[in-house]
Amino acid sequence: MTHLPPPAEELRLLDAELWQLDARRAQLLARRAWLLASLQSSRPAAPPLPPAAPRPEASAPRVQNVLLLLGGILLTVAAVAFTLVSWGHLGITGRALVLGTVTLAVLAAPLPLLRRGLRSTAESVAGLGLALTVLDAYALHEAALAGTDGTGYAAGAAAVLAGLWAAYGRGLGALRLPLPAALVAAQLPLTLWSVAAGADPYAVATALLVTAGLDTVLALVLPAGAGGAVRVTATAGGYGLGGWGVLAAGWLSWTAGGPGDAARAAALLAFAAVIALVAAARLPEPGVAAGTAVAGGLLLVAAAGGPLRAALPAGWAVPVHLAFGVALSAAVRADRLPEPVRQGLVRAAAAVQALALLWAVPLVVVTLLGPLGWAERPWRGEPSDARAAVTVHTPWPPYAGQALLVLVAVAGVLFLAGRHGARRPWVRTGAPVLAWAACVALPAVLGLPYVAALAMLGAVTVATAFLPTPWPALAGSLHLAFLSLATQSATLTVLSALTVSCATASRWPRLAPVAAPAALGYATALAVAAGAAAGWQPSHTALLVLCVPVAAALAAARLGASAATVPVEVTGAAAALLALGLAAPDAPMLATVLAACGVIAAGTAARPDRRRAAYPAAALFLLAAWVRLAAWDVTTPEAYTLPVTVPALLVGAWRRRRDPLTGSWTAYGPGLAATLVPSLAAAWSDPQWPRPLLLGAAALLVTLLGARHRLRAPLVLGGSVLVLDALHELAPYLVQVADALPRWVPPALGGVLLLAVGATYERRLRDVRHVRDVLGRMN
């Protein structure tokens, strides 16, 4: 059989082998470093790389275009300054003739430039010529037509310039600038003519929309590859002028004084909607087409609802537009439309419904959050009706009946959408949630009696428990609980019913994660309410609240690995904290509650998967003992520290028994320090002799035990406390001895200490040099 040496001998052999391996590794690393240095010194130096040639930061065509653009801008600025300021002695007629001659020369210059292949230069010169034509129009007005209306003249000049620029661009087909410029000028005539003619805002909005419609037609007629700049310009004009026209028409519809004005504004909105929908049907990009169709659908709804909004009483604008939005969604499903247009119209109808719901949000918020005010003044008496119950600290929103109608209508639309194949989650859950919100708001809207409202809301809460999501039922139960705070009888009845209902609902696995903690929460509220109704002190009510953590611990043990276990335990812990808060003013009762909580935690720790609950259980028992001692006016620190030290030392001994490698500082350090340190602090301020004597005896015993078992923590802690305690007792005598010593003794002692430190430092340096020499000899 193999002979195994004793553990101490085997440990010595292992240390020797490890030391030899470290020495051999250090030798090999030093040799490797020397070889690397030798190879690097013998390697020839690489020739330096030639400096890289500087690269240009801009390409030649880009430089050319920048120069031409700057030159054209400067010439245009010079021409403007020449026309407006620096004419010298020429009259206005002479100036116009000179300017016209220069304009003709500049417009003719691109022809020879194009023949020579200088297209970019020709584009710049042509741009200068177009700018000069604008100055010619201004000079003509100042020279011959100064008496005409400026706005009307600007409209005519824009139309003429648009035609001339278009003809010029057609004549010089190689240039790309004249045709887009002509289209830009063509955006102005109709609007300026309407303004010059003194037309009303409806006519001006019509001019804007007609121009936008013509731009849209031009953008759709042009093929995708031809006339790209013209098409982009037409698209920008259509969106820009169309947007201004829609804003003007919408403002006119909103501020219409009667059905007639509202009908005129509706016609403008309908015209804009037709333009948008026609464009959406012809656009090749699906995303752009769908977005344009959304705008068209919204304009259709606004156009249809505007006249009715002006004719009906206040508060019916949103329901009317919602009705047309619902009709739009129904019409989209019935007609055969391109898919992007259909999607856009569906989104427009959904946007209308979303905006209508946003308008109805205040009713839901006031209904759900209004009863929170009863928490500040509970049991003040039964309110007059349900509306007074929910408006205890919030005002009632206007048009509540219409908002309720909106909730019901949108819920019905979502329900029908779900039946027709829309399987999105928000469609499936939206209809029940909106129907629940409408049912919750119904008693307050109708002004039902308080008791009838409570009964109706209770039935609604029970019904919503069968919805796909349990959260509306939880919100409804909270609303009902706060609403019941108006009277004592209602509070006790509602909380009892909610506790029983939630406990019954927790039997279903789907509802258990929500219903089980809700039952415990309502049971906690019921316990507090019952204690308040009985006239108990809060500290005595805490004992009744403790029934909830007990029930939570039993239920969690029965649930096992269910999803409801953690919520149940968290709710029980919250109830225990509430009980501690209620018992805090009464120290004896607080100690009782802490001990009871410790028992509950200890019972929870008996479960295999909750062993860690033993730590809070021990802490609770310790706190209970401390609070009880404080209630008895006990000021001796050992009475507080020994209940910590004894269990800590037992736990440390058990841990070292299971794991012999556990250090003594980990096992015994916290427990010994918990008593020795506070007792030492008390002994230093205690003028009597029993405490220092007992502390010294205990420290001596700990030191001896540490020396017997070779444990650092008891040895260091016991010895330190023993020395400090002895110094405290011998302090008067030490002071007398210090007075009797000569004055040269302290400096001498300091010098000896410094010499000892210096010698130690020199010895360490000598050891370092020795190691360096050994490594050098290895190389």
Side-chain angles (χ1 to χ4, degrees), residues 89-415:
H89 62 279
L90 293 177
I92 188 63
T93 305
R95 302 174 196 173
L97 291 175
V98 172
L99 190 59
T101 303
V102 175
T103 301
L104 292 176
V106 172
L107 289 176
L111 290 174
L113 293 175
L114 288 174
R115 294 192 188 99
R116 294 177 180 270
L118 303 176
R119 181 173 177 178
S120 299
T121 306
E123 291 281 1
S124 298
V125 174
L128 175 61
L130 298 181
L132 290 175
T133 57
V134 178
L135 295 177
D136 289 333
Y138 170 76
L140 180 61
H141 179 267
E142 294 296 326
L145 302 173
T148 60
D149 177 63
T151 306
Y153 177 79
V160 173
L161 288 177
L164 292 177
W165 291 352
Y168 182 68
R170 283 292 185 179
L172 301 177
L175 297 179
R176 294 175 293 183
L177 182 60
L179 289 179
L183 187 56
V184 171
Q187 308 299 311
L188 303 177
L190 286 179
T191 305
L192 292 178
W193 273 330
S194 63
V195 174
D200 58 1
Y202 294 93
V204 176
T206 303
L208 289 172
L209 292 175
V210 168
T211 306
L214 294 175
D215 289 335
T216 303
V217 172
L218 181 61
L220 295 175
V221 168
L222 289 176
V230 178
R231 189 179 183 189
V232 170
T233 306
T235 303
Y239 279 111
L241 292 182
W244 283 108
V246 166
L247 289 177
W251 176 256
L252 292 172
S253 177
W254 183 261
T255 59
D261 294 339
R264 295 175 63 187
L268 294 176
L269 292 173
F271 178 55
V274 171
I275 296 174
L277 292 176
V278 171
R282 296 288 302 274
L283 287 173
E285 298 86 357
V288 180
T292 308
V294 170
L298 293 176
L299 291 173
L300 279 179
V301 173
L308 288 178
R309 180 189 58 80
L312 292 175
W316 287 96
V318 175
V320 165
H321 287 86
L322 176 62
F324 283 108
V326 174
L328 177 63
S329 62
V332 167
R333 291 187 178 88
D335 295 339
R336 295 180 180 179
L337 296 172
E339 184 61 23
V341 177
R342 191 188 69 82
Q343 291 182 359
L345 292 178
V346 170
R347 293 173 185 172
V352 172
Q353 298 173 35
L355 292 174
L357 287 178
L358 187 63
W359 178 75
V361 162
L363 173 64
V364 180
V365 171
V366 170
T367 304
L368 290 178
L369 302 183
L372 295 179
W374 289 109
E376 299 179 355
R377 36 184 170 176
W379 300 351
R380 293 296 181 89
E382 182 176 336
S384 58
D385 55 13
R387 183 175 301 179
V390 300
T391 56
V392 62
H393 73 316
T394 55
W396 183 247
Y399 315 122
Q402 290 87 337
L404 181 64
L405 180 61
V406 167
L407 293 174
V408 174
V410 177
V413 171
L414 292 179
F415 177 75

Side-chain angles (χ1 to χ4, degrees), residues 91 142 157 259 265 312 375 395 483 610 661 677 692:
E142 294 296 326
L312 292 175
L483 197 63
R610 293 293 186 269
L661 297 180
V677 174

Side-chain angles (χ1 to χ4, degrees), residues 524 527-528 531 536-550 575-576 578-584 586 588-597 600 628:
T524 304
V528 175
W536 292 358
Q537 294 294 329
S539 57
H540 294 84
T541 305
L543 297 177
L544 188 60
V545 174
L546 279 179
C547 298
V548 176
V550 173
L578 177 60
L580 292 175
L582 293 174
D586 189 351
M589 187 60 68
L590 178 60
T592 303
V593 173
L594 284 170
C597 292
I600 297 172
R628 175 57 65 181

Side-chain angles (χ1 to χ4, degrees), residues 87 131 318 431 551 651 745 767:
W87 281 93
V318 175
V651 171
V745 172
D767 295 341

Side-chain angles (χ1 to χ4, degrees), residues 653-728:
W654 172 76
R655 184 174 180 180
R656 279 184 59 85
R657 184 181 181 86
R658 295 190 60 184
D659 185 7
L661 297 180
T662 302
S664 62
W665 285 106
T666 303
Y668 304 120
L672 292 174
T675 292
L676 292 177
V677 174
S679 297
L680 179 63
W684 272 72
S685 60
D686 191 353
Q688 304 298 326
W689 63 269
R691 183 191 298 275
L693 179 61
L694 293 176
L695 178 61
L700 178 61
L701 178 60
V702 170
T703 304
L704 294 176
L705 289 175
R708 170 68 179 80
H709 297 283
R710 297 180 182 179
L711 299 176
R712 292 182 180 179
L715 189 62
V716 172
L717 287 174
S720 301
V721 172
L722 181 61
V723 170
L724 293 174
D725 186 65
L727 288 175
H728 171 262

